Amino acid sequence: MTLQEELQSLKTETLETIETMSLDGAKELQELRVSVLGKKGKLTEILKGLKDLSNEMRPVIGKEANEVRDALTKAFEEKAVAISNEKIAKQLESEKIDVTLPGKQLKHGNRHVLTQINEEIEDIFLGMGFQVVDGFEVETDYYNFERMNLPKNHPARDMQDTFYITEEVLLRTHTSPVQARTLDNHDFSKGALKMISPGRVFRRDTDDATHSHQFHQIEGLVVGENISMSDLKGTLQVISQKMFGDDRKIRLRPSYFPFTEPSVEVDVSCFKCGGTGCNVCKYTGWIEILGAGMVHPNVLEMSGVDAQKYSGFAFGLGQERIAMLRYGINDIRGFYQGDERFNEQFN
Ligand code: FA5
């Protein structure tokens, strides 16, 4: 074969191979290119024969060799573009997005039932001109007990054992220390103090269906001139009716708290049977909802409030208890387990 024939046959064969090469053959195309046009490729090999040609033939064949190189380079480039386009087309095909398809339904959360109860109670009291005050979950023994008229070694401390950080710092057992803290800062020349304070409290109680070692209370406190037991009763009547229905009546029973005198337990007439007796009220017609009383003069005096001039009432209710009664929840532990099936019932 002459040099010219070799060149032409290399061109034809290579173009044919490129032509028939599949569109996912990027690697094969590159290999072919190296084997034909590379430094040690077939074209270079053929061109080694140029030196044996006559002076007239050398430029003619040299020119033809250049044309073959250009034609092949062009064919390789075009094929590379075609392969790349094919790859993009396939990718687009597989990643095609149908914007008309419905989106994935996201699950909506809802506020926890205790948060809902809390907000509802806050709204009722805000409507009656109360302020909402925050307290400290980590409290001092001084505010949690002593300022609540429970000096060291007072026997009533036994009912509220708790988790101690140090001997003098503890996790509060009730929201009542907020009474002393707000009384300390209230300026009575500007009017009566009316506040509620919701929050988490802790006790060394054994967890069961109705008790938890941490739970939530809402403290209420009103102190001013001429505040009497009937103000307490009227306020509690409003909250009972708003929470449990307009027909609800309340009943005060004598009780004991070191920080109130007199002290009462407050019952609401059963919202299920209306007072005739049923399993919710344990056939008494009444359900206990909170503890309350007239603020003990010692509590006022310890905050520097003149107990001769000012008097007040206070109450403390368990938020879980209100929610359990309202919704017929029979195990307090449901509030804290984060089980969606429990939570979404209060959506
Ligand atoms: C008190 O904590 C008083 N500080 C309430 C008070 C405030 C009285 C102001 C007078 C004036 P008591 O220990 O009864 O009181 O708790 C109040 C409410 O918290 C109870 O009625 C109950 O609903 C709830 N409670 C008490 N212990 C637990 C517990 N371990 N788990 C869940 N709820 C509880």
Side-chain angles (χ1 to χ4, degrees), residues 160 173-176 179 203 205 210-213 215-217 219-220 257 259-260 265 288-293 314-318 320-321 332 336:
Q160 295 192 14
T173 58
H174 50 177
T175 41
S176 297
Q179 286 188 33
R203 288 190 194 176
D205 280 352
T210 52
H211 293 85
S212 168
H213 63 279
F215 55 101
H216 299 79
Q217 289 188 336
E219 194 75 11
F257 295 104
F259 34 92
T260 45
E265 297 281 357
E288 183 194 317
I289 53 163
L290 52 85
F315 59 86
L317 59 83
E320 281 84 348
R321 185 156 183 78
I332 197 170
Y336 319 116

Side-chain angles (χ1 to χ4, degrees), residues 17-262:
T17 317
I18 294 174
E19 176 74 30
T20 52
M21 193 171 270
S22 93
L23 282 176
D24 55 10
K27 196 168 160 234
E28 288 91 323
L29 185 72
Q30 177 61 10
E31 280 166 7
L32 182 64
R33 184 190 189 111
V34 172
S35 76
V36 176
L37 299 179
K39 265 190 195 155
K40 293 176 186 162
K42 289 178 189 158
L43 186 63
T44 316
E45 218 34 61
I46 295 171
L47 292 181
K48 278 181 186 165
L50 277 178
K51 65 179 187 322
D52 304 326
L53 293 177
S54 65
N55 284 347
E56 298 85 64
M57 278 310 283
R58 204 175 293 133
V60 178
I61 300 300
K63 188 167 173 249
E64 203 169 319
N66 282 340
E67 279 165 12
V68 168
R69 186 196 305 276
D70 289 349
L72 291 180
T73 306
K74 189 166 169 251
F76 275 117
E77 272 165 12
E78 280 171 4
K79 187 74 179 185
V81 169
I83 288 177
S84 156
N85 285 347
E86 172 73 4
K87 193 176 164 197
I88 293 171
K90 272 194 182 150
Q91 228 165 357
L92 285 176
E93 182 65 30
S94 66
E95 287 172 10
K96 208 184 249 172
I97 297 167
D98 182 351
V99 289
T100 64
L101 281 176
K104 269 192 191 156
Q105 200 75 37
L106 283 182
K107 258 198 158 178
H108 280 272
N110 57 293
R111 283 166 312 138
H112 194 273
V113 58
L114 288 178
T115 311
Q116 293 181 33
I117 291 278
N118 187 25
E119 284 176 2
E120 212 176 304
I121 295 175
E122 280 184 12
D123 281 349
I124 298 168
F125 279 101
L126 284 170
M128 294 195 283
F130 283 60
Q131 54 173 315
V132 180
V133 177
D134 266 342
F136 299 122
E137 289 178 5
V138 181
E139 246 315 348
T140 54
D141 179 281
Y142 177 65
Y143 272 103
N144 192 78
F145 290 128
E146 290 191 39
R147 291 292 298 274
M148 287 293 105
N149 209 23
L150 279 139
K152 296 232 189 300
N153 303 320
H154 192 291
R157 282 190 176 212
D158 282 356
M159 291 191 298
Q160 295 192 14
D161 195 9
T162 184
F163 304 88
Y164 283 82
I165 313 289
T166 67
E167 217 169 293
E168 293 303 325
V169 179
L170 45 80
L171 298 188
R172 67 176 177 185
T173 58
H174 50 177
T175 41
S176 297
V178 190
Q179 286 188 33
R181 287 191 178 273
T182 35
L183 276 170
D184 283 354
N185 294 315
H186 187 72
D187 178 358
F188 281 93
S189 69
K190 295 201 170 118
L193 167 63
K194 292 164 79 177
M195 72 86 175
I196 58 163
S197 183
R200 195 194 305 244
V201 303
F202 309 82
R203 288 190 194 176
R204 209 200 123 277
D205 280 352
T206 309
D207 291 357
D208 63 20
T210 52
H211 293 85
S212 168
H213 63 279
Q214 58 171 323
F215 55 101
H216 299 79
Q217 289 188 336
I218 298 183
E219 194 75 11
L221 176 69
V222 174
V223 177
E225 285 182 63
N226 302 317
I227 303 292
S228 71
M229 198 87 178
S230 57
D231 296 312
L232 168 65
K233 204 172 169 190
T235 307
L236 295 177
Q237 180 77 50
V238 170
I239 185 85
S240 308
Q241 287 176 335
K242 296 252 189 202
M243 293 306 291
F244 296 111
D246 283 344
D247 301 337
R248 303 281 67 79
K249 294 188 183 63
I250 57 162
R251 171 177 89 167
L252 308 189
R253 282 181 290 114
S255 184
Y256 171 75
F257 295 104
F259 34 92
T260 45
E261 180 59 38

Side-chain angles (χ1 to χ4, degrees), residues 110-113 116 327 329 335 342-347:
N110 57 293
R111 283 166 312 138
H112 194 273
V113 58
Q116 293 181 33
Y327 297 114
I329 299 164
F335 291 116
F342 177 87
N343 292 341
E344 61 193 15
Q345 293 176 70
F346 309 101
N347 212 339

